[in-house]
Amino acid sequence: MATLTRPAAWTEAEQKQLEQLARRYPSSEHSLVSQCAKIAAGLPRKSIRDVGARLRLLALDPLATAQPARPGTARHAALEKQCRDLLQQNVAVVSEMRENLQKIQLMDNIPLMRRFDANVRATFETLEALDSESQMPPFPLEVNTMYLAGGGG
């Protein structure tokens, strides 16, 4: 059986590389998952999850703060409000797009579609923050690899 263990501690070199890559791939230009994946690609010993957790811990992620987003906390309420606001903005955008379609002003919908897309992406990132911070951290476990190798019968 293979044992999955917690990742190794961050070395000073890895920390510096993380900070450089976080500047190269800012969250303003990349979704949270995309940002973490690109940074993790430059850190051979770290997973995407390791990078995401480290960004939050160091507040290099704009959604990170010292307060966890547990239900009932101010941070959780703020993230929920942010989601509601983004969704309400999209309701207004869709209404504007509908009016443009009725007036046959199709080209006016292009910037509205971009705004809609940006709001959806921001909503997903906010939901990821709510979800990831309310989960229990993983604990070490053993994986039975016998079936993976086709040895079980």
Side-chain angles (χ1 to χ4, degrees):
M1 282 191 213
T3 301
L4 298 178
T5 58
R6 290 195 176 266
W10 286 77
T11 66
E12 191 173 325
E14 287 172 330
Q15 179 61 38
K16 286 181 182 179
Q17 182 72 4
L18 171 80
E19 291 169 6
Q20 288 176 334
L21 292 168
R23 285 189 294 275
R24 184 182 303 162
Y25 304 111
S27 60
S28 61
E29 296 175 16
H30 302 277
S31 71
L32 179 60
V33 173
S34 172
Q35 179 192 34
C36 291
K38 289 179 182 198
I39 292 171
L43 295 163
R45 294 181 345 121
K46 301 299 177 188
S47 68
I48 295 171
R49 184 182 178 112
D50 295 335
V51 170
R54 190 70 172 184
L55 290 175
R56 276 190 175 45
L57 177 69
L58 300 174
L60 295 173
D61 182 331
L63 294 176
T65 67
Q67 290 289 329
R70 292 196 180 94
T73 64
R75 174 155 165 69
H76 190 271
L79 288 171
E80 282 186 336
K81 181 183 181 320
Q82 183 177 351
C83 279
R84 278 193 303 275
D85 291 347
L86 288 164
L87 293 171
Q88 195 61 35
Q89 288 173 25
N90 272 357
V91 168
V93 168
V94 168
S95 178
E96 248 184 283
M97 289 170 57
R98 184 179 304 124
E99 289 174 20
N100 288 340
L101 288 171
Q102 289 172 346
K103 297 176 191 173
I104 311 181
Q105 297 173 329
L106 304 179
M107 297 306 288
D108 292 346
N109 281 347
I110 292 172
L112 295 173
M113 288 181 206
R114 287 189 184 113
R115 188 175 347 149
F116 184 91
D117 180 62
N119 287 347
V120 168
R121 290 173 191 272
T123 301
F124 276 120
E125 288 182 10
T126 303
L127 290 172
E128 286 174 357
L130 277 169
D131 182 52
S132 67
E133 293 182 13
S134 64
Q135 300 288 321
M136 277 182 39
F139 54 90
L141 59 104
E142 289 189 11
V143 177
N144 185 344
T145 59
M146 179 176 71
Y147 297 108
L148 296 175

